[in-house]
Amino acid sequence: MAAGSDGALPADAASRAQELREQLEAHNSSYYVLDAPTVLDAEYDRLFGELQALEGRYPELLTVDSPTQRVGGKVLDALQPVTHRVPMLSIQTETDIEDSGAVNFDNRVRKELGLAEEAPPVEYTAELKFDGLAISLRYEQGVLVQAATRGDGATGEDVTTNVRTIRVIPLRLHQRAGAPAVPDTLEVRGEIYIDRRDFESLNAAQQAASEKLFVNPRNAAAGCIRQLDSRIAARRPLSFFAYGMGESTGWALPATHCGMLDAFAAWGLPVNTDRAVVSGAQGLIDYHRRIGEARNRLPFDIDGVVYKVNSLALQQQLGFRSREPRWAVAHKYPAQEELTEVLDIEVQVGRTGAITPVARLKPVFVGGVTVTNATLHNEDEVRRKDIHIGDTVVVRRAGDVIPEVVRALAERRPADARAFVMPQTCPSCGAAVRRDEDEAVARCTAGLYCPAQRKQALLHFASRRALDIDGLGEKIVDQLVDNSILRTPADLFRLEVPALAALERMGDKAAANLVQAIGQCRDTTLARFIYALGIRNVGESTARDLAAHFRDINVLMAADELRLQQVTDVGPVVAQSVAAFFADAHNRAVISDLLAAGIHFAPIAEPEQLAPGVAGKTFVLTGTLPTLSRDEAKARIEAKGGKVSGSVSKKTHYVVAGGEAGSKLVKAQDLGVAILDEAALMVLLESM
DNA sequence: GATCCTCGAGTTCT
DNA sequence: CTCGAGGATC
């Protein structure tokens, strides 16, 4: 490809290269020198990659001062420069999709070593790539004498006084019985980082002190370590992991990289335990995948994994290529944080009238999907994060899925940015919006007279956990309500095929299916029906409690607040909501209309057979189970007398974990709660 | 009165 | 999944 397209140098390539160099230099300066990043890593990497590609294709564009020709930034005047005796190299990054990074690396290594196809697989160590600040620690006769940042790889900065304040870094290496003797001199290479929880509290403290917030843990770490005042650094929650070595004299080098890390650990240096010795490309692929799934559960940020040839002899044989070792590569994951712009902040009206601000974002690819919307929850949240329309914001995919606006970059706010103002009237119906004292949400006061709320109420009525009407989606409900065909849930049972088929995006077939689905939903349970009504503060669980207690819709409707409070988990607030709902004449009319339309309830099921290991026990489901859906698993546990709850606590008996399990699994491990997989759950359910 | 535990409600994208 | 808030418990 390069060979064919070499030749004439297009004018726009030269100007683009110049532009990229200027941008990157500006970012370098603010990121490394001022500790105030103007772009995030992903954006920087993208610009950097583009320039690298351009220079690779047109070598005449390459200049000595190009940002691609150096590893880091300038040395500040205030910290003393330190020349590294063994340069601190960077590691080549595989910019690939999927598994090819591991395969490419393995192929290169085998080729360089001259291995035949049928030769046994190469042994590698695989480690986490911490997202922090690279550091070199020099120990002489086991005593920490100097700590230096990477700087440009050849010369860094002396940060010894600050590093001495980091508690996990030993000031003197331990000499334990059975461990290798401590070398005369040893330079330990590793990463200073801040774990996520500490980062959050650090930012909270910064905010309380009206100090500038840190954009991410890596930047906070860099800022702290290069503090001129080590008393401030001492108060910062810095951590460290060792992963490599610079100069060393006076010890018998182990045979493998892994053995070296074991020796480090024996001397009291922190070494991360998520590393593994694996075999061949497949071993690397498995590790990459495993860590990718566990990434969110780690207490600190990583931006990928690192593969290294395990044998130190083979490492030496492979040697270096300009500034990078041939025996190691970094394999990155897609960025979980990106920068984008807030195009607008709109509000949505929920089923209960809650007015929720939503940020409309300039589309941005983050964590594997394109994000265009992110909820801002409520007015206080917008204020707390100080998000204006027009702001550049950090967007993250938190907890695997839901996009979140993390914070706004105040220094990038344009002059014409506008603050968000909570509307005083409902965007759907124009009724007054009210926010009660000590409530976080503002609500439309029109109730079901508000079309938005009526639509949401109907969708809730039809939802899977309520009456489960298939095919009644948002688009259809919008049209039916706007055309005044549908006003209450009872109207659903009067819908006919011709009227439906006249709607947009609806044919005869779909219309007939919908009418049939509505007909089928008449057969339901009292608990589902109560839930479907959408009474405030009554969810699935409370609806079930009410159904089990009253067993008859008419008895429930007649109950006063005192009787309602006899039900478990019903206190004054819920009792008031329920009583008020059934006191309303319109609601009563709709209910009798529904019953007249033929809704009837299956007799309340007595628990079948109770499994001894299940009855009375509390389960929490997390992750994706191999065969059962979440709802099926829940139904099966409940059928045997167990209870399924949403969050893990001391009272949880079992956590059932599937693939990609999240924070709940971690919490279960912390609390020592028993963890089951699907197979173990089935055994428990079948046991009598 | 404080603390812990659950539930309810709202939300994204494929 | 996460937050806020209702209910139970000590």
Side-chain angles (χ1 to χ4, degrees):
Chain A
M1 158 111 182
S5 52
D6 274 350
L9 171 65
D12 60 341
S15 61
R16 177 65 183 153
Q18 180 61 25
E19 190 183 322
L20 287 167
R21 274 199 289 269
E22 279 165 14
Q23 276 179 24
L24 286 165
E25 270 309 306
H27 295 326
N28 259 341
S29 152
S30 59
Y31 198 103
Y32 288 107
V33 182
L34 306 173
D35 284 338
T38 49
V39 289
L40 289 187
D41 292 345
E43 201 177 340
Y44 185 92
D45 285 351
R46 206 157 42 234
L47 297 171
F48 195 92
E50 189 185 340
L51 180 57
Q52 233 175 1
L54 215 49
E55 290 173 346
R57 192 158 164 204
Y58 306 109
E60 59 268 45
L61 287 178
L62 188 56
T63 59
V64 273
D65 66 347
S66 171
T68 58
Q69 295 304 295
R70 54 176 178 167
V71 183
K74 284 203 178 85
V75 176
L76 273 191
D77 298 328
L79 294 172
Q80 292 306 307
V82 172
T83 304
H84 297 297
R85 286 164 221 235
V86 176
M88 288 183 79
L89 302 166
S90 52
I91 293 184
Q92 193 197 342
T93 301
E94 284 292 337
T95 51
D96 76 279
I97 337 237
E98 307 280 296
D99 302 335
S100 63
V103 175
N104 291 346
F105 175 58
D106 184 50
N107 284 342
R108 274 203 312 271
V109 166
R110 293 178 70 87
K111 194 169 153 220
E112 289 285 342
L113 292 175
L115 293 178
E117 289 249 335
E118 61 279 9
V122 177
E123 188 181 81
Y124 297 103
T125 52
E127 300 165 38
L128 305 182
K129 185 176 189 314
F130 311 104
D131 196 11
L133 180 76
I135 205 103
S136 180
L137 308 176
R138 185 172 174 86
Y139 288 89
E140 291 178 0
Q141 309 307 323
V143 177
L144 177 67
V145 295
Q146 191 173 60
T149 62
R150 164 149 63 197
D152 64 4
T155 306
E157 294 166 318
D158 189 326
V159 290
T160 313
T161 47
N162 287 341
V163 166
R164 285 213 170 102
T165 68
I166 301 174
R167 266 172 252 136
V168 298
I169 294 183
L171 296 177
R172 176 187 286 277
L173 298 178
H174 311 169
Q175 181 62 72
R176 295 201 181 96
V182 170
D184 295 342
T185 58
L186 176 71
E187 280 180 13
V188 176
R189 303 280 161 84
E191 197 92 351
I192 306 250
Y193 70 94
I194 295 185
D195 86 33
R196 284 190 208 126
R197 194 171 293 181
D198 289 336
F199 172 71
E200 295 302 332
S201 34
L202 173 60
N203 254 353
Q206 290 285 105
Q207 184 158 45
S210 303
E211 300 273 345
K212 208 176 136 212
L213 297 188
F214 294 105
V215 172
N216 56 37
R218 174 233 279 267
N219 247 94
C224 295
I225 208 63
R226 294 171 65 257
Q227 263 292 330
L228 294 174
D229 183 348
S230 62
R231 285 170 305 178
I232 295 179
R235 290 201 296 268
R236 299 285 164 78
L238 297 170
S239 296
F240 172 80
F241 279 127
Y243 55 67
M245 190 170 67
E247 190 186 44
S248 82
T249 57
W251 73 304
L253 226 53
T256 62
H257 178 78
C258 184
M260 183 183 85
L261 295 182
D262 289 340
F264 285 1
W267 296 329
L269 288 159
V271 179
N272 181 261
T273 51
D274 289 312
R275 66 203 153 99
V277 175
V278 301
S279 175
Q282 190 57 49
L284 297 175
I285 290 167
D286 293 344
Y287 182 82
H288 185 256
R289 188 163 303 154
R290 183 158 65 77
I291 297 300
E293 282 168 10
R295 187 180 180 192
N296 286 320
R297 270 176 267 148
L298 295 171
F300 43 79
D301 284 345
I302 58 170
D303 53 9
V305 292
V306 177
Y307 310 141
K308 294 174 184 165
V309 172
N310 196 27
S311 155
L312 296 187
L314 291 182
Q315 284 189 9
Q316 202 163 17
Q317 194 182 329
L318 285 161
F320 299 88
R321 177 179 72 191
S322 68
R323 312 203 55 121
E324 294 157 346
R326 284 206 188 86
W327 42 265
V329 290
H331 195 173
K332 288 202 178 186
Y333 294 109
Q336 290 187 136
E337 281 191 356
E338 287 283 355
L339 289 180
T340 190
E341 269 168 57
V342 178
L343 302 176
D344 199 2
I345 298 177
E346 292 174 8
V347 295
Q348 290 177 355
V349 185
R351 171 170 66 86
T352 63
I355 311 276
T356 310
V358 178
R360 304 285 173 222
L361 305 169
K362 193 168 150 203
V364 61
F365 193 74
V366 47
V369 297
T370 305
V371 171
T372 52
N373 301 312
T375 177
L376 297 173
H377 300 296
N378 57 55
E379 209 177 349
D380 290 346
E381 179 93 351
V382 179
R383 197 140 305 150
R384 194 158 48 231
K385 291 183 176 167
D386 191 30
I387 296 164
H388 284 45
I389 298 163
D391 270 353
T392 297
V393 291
V394 180
V395 176
R396 167 170 67 192
R397 288 233 304 162
D400 264 5
V401 224
I402 298 182
E404 173 192 17
V405 175
V406 184
R407 65 182 68 87
L409 301 188
E411 65 275 18
R412 278 234 218 158
R413 174 167 300 159
D416 61 351
R418 285 177 291 138
F420 168 73
V421 184
M422 181 58 83
Q424 294 305 297
T425 57
C426 171
S428 172
C429 68
V433 166
R434 198 175 64 222
R435 181 176 164 191
D436 284 339
E437 290 276 331
D438 55 69
E439 273 240 316
V441 294
R443 290 176 200 279
C444 161
T445 51
L448 290 177
Y449 295 104
C450 170
Q453 287 187 60
R454 203 157 57 226
K455 287 173 187 173
Q456 292 295 322
L458 286 160
L459 285 168
H460 173 77
F461 185 84
S463 70
R464 210 161 35 85
R465 310 178 105 92
L467 291 210
D468 192 17
I469 302 174
D470 224 22
L472 192 70
E474 200 177 327
K475 292 282 175 330
I476 306 299
V477 169
D478 272 355
Q479 295 181 64
L480 289 169
V481 171
D482 291 344
N483 297 335
S484 307
I485 299 172
L486 196 55
R487 289 177 51 257
T488 76
D491 294 335
L492 286 168
F493 297 93
R494 291 186 276 272
L495 288 178
E496 280 165 5
V497 175
L500 281 170
L503 299 175
E504 281 170 44
R505 308 176 60 98
M506 190 79 163
D508 285 348
K509 189 75 191 285
N513 285 345
L514 180 53
V515 169
Q516 207 208 339
I518 292 169
Q520 275 171 2
C521 86
R522 285 186 171 94
D523 234 342
T524 186
T525 65
L526 181 57
R528 276 173 176 266
F529 183 74
I530 295 169
Y531 174 62
L533 294 174
I535 305 165
R536 261 264 226 133
N537 301 313
V538 176
E540 232 187 328
S541 180
T542 309
R544 240 196 325 258
D545 288 343
L546 289 170
H549 190 270
F550 290 100
R551 300 179 143 254
D552 182 320
I553 186 73
N554 293 306
V555 180
L556 170 62
M557 287 173 74
D560 61 14
E561 289 186 38
L562 225 55
R563 300 236 11 190
L564 287 163
Q565 285 199 51
Q566 321 236 308
V567 181
T568 38
D569 291 336
V570 174
V573 176
V574 176
Q576 203 277 331
S577 301
V578 176
F581 183 90
F582 288 122
D584 182 272
H586 172 258
N587 290 336
R588 297 180 76 94
V590 171
I591 292 168
S592 64
D593 211 358
L594 283 167
L595 295 174
I599 291 218
H600 60 94
F601 312 117
I604 300 207
E606 300 300 333
E608 306 169 18
Q609 337 96 300
L610 300 177
V614 178
K617 298 280 200 283
T618 304
F619 291 71
V620 173
L621 304 173
T622 181
T624 315
L625 298 176
T627 62
L628 289 178
S629 78
R630 191 169 272 254
D631 285 343
E632 280 165 346
K634 187 173 177 200
R636 289 200 188 202
I637 290 167
E638 284 170 352
K640 304 274 175 166
K643 198 163 155 345
V644 176
S645 156
S647 53
V648 181
S649 71
K650 281 185 297 195
K651 294 187 181 170
T652 308
H653 295 101
Y654 298 104
V655 167
V656 184
E660 314 240 337
S663 58
K664 285 185 236 176
L665 180 58
V666 177
K667 188 148 184 215
Q669 285 161 345
D670 284 353
L671 293 172
V673 174
I675 296 165
L676 305 177
D677 60 9
E678 188 185 278
L681 173 65
M682 297 308 285
V683 170
L684 206 58
L685 287 169
E686 300 309 323
S687 68
M688 277 294 121

